[in-house]
Amino acid sequence: MNARRLACKIVEAEAYYGPEDPASRARRGGDLRKAMYGDVGAALIYGVHGRWLLNIVAHEEGGAGAVLIRSGEPVDGLDLMRKLRGVRDPRSLTTGPGRLTEAMAIDKSLHGKPVYTGDHGLWIELGEDVPSSLVARSRRVGVSKDLPTPLRFYIKGSLYVSRR
DNA sequence: CGCCAGATTGACT
DNA sequence: GTCAATCTGGCGG
């Protein structure tokens, strides 16, 4: 096992659509908008409130959108995560979008990289199947202008979900 | 170049 | 529960 590998299981995510979504960054201009229309499966990383947030570009042909990775359950490299975060409690390591990126050493340098290959330091693998009975949904967290549709998905009962 | 909103967090009452 | 520090990207001048 590679001591430098940092791994966690994604337990919480949110969907963001294109310009029709009032909370979407595709609504504004610039590089973020371009990225949301760009290659599906690319990491989309941007800063808010002094933190980095990890998204994966996801949309239909010709559309725009992304999935925000909000929370994870630490799997590998806990010691290094503790060092990066400066806390010991596993629940405060990767629980929350800003905490997750800090614990996993994710920053803007990984922006635009595809997450389905591992040759640049960041990748996502398929894990075990999660029965849909274990997936709960709610409205998005921290969004000032949310859609009426619940677009946050998380694993029911997981201790590593940011909000219950 | 300055202003300001924001998909957050941690400290505090 | 409340509140302010944080800093990047977008946008106006």
Side-chain angles (χ1 to χ4, degrees), chain A residues 5 7 9 17 53 99 138 146:
Chain A
R5 191 176 89 123
K9 175 181 160 186
Y17 291 115
L53 266 43
R99 292 168 167 179
S138 76
D146 200 3

Side-chain angles (χ1 to χ4, degrees), chain A residues 18-36:
Chain A
E20 71 275 24
D21 181 350
S24 176
R25 291 276 139 157
R27 186 169 263 266
R28 307 188 177 210
D31 178 62
L32 273 312
R33 179 192 169 88
K34 247 195 313 183
M36 291 190 76

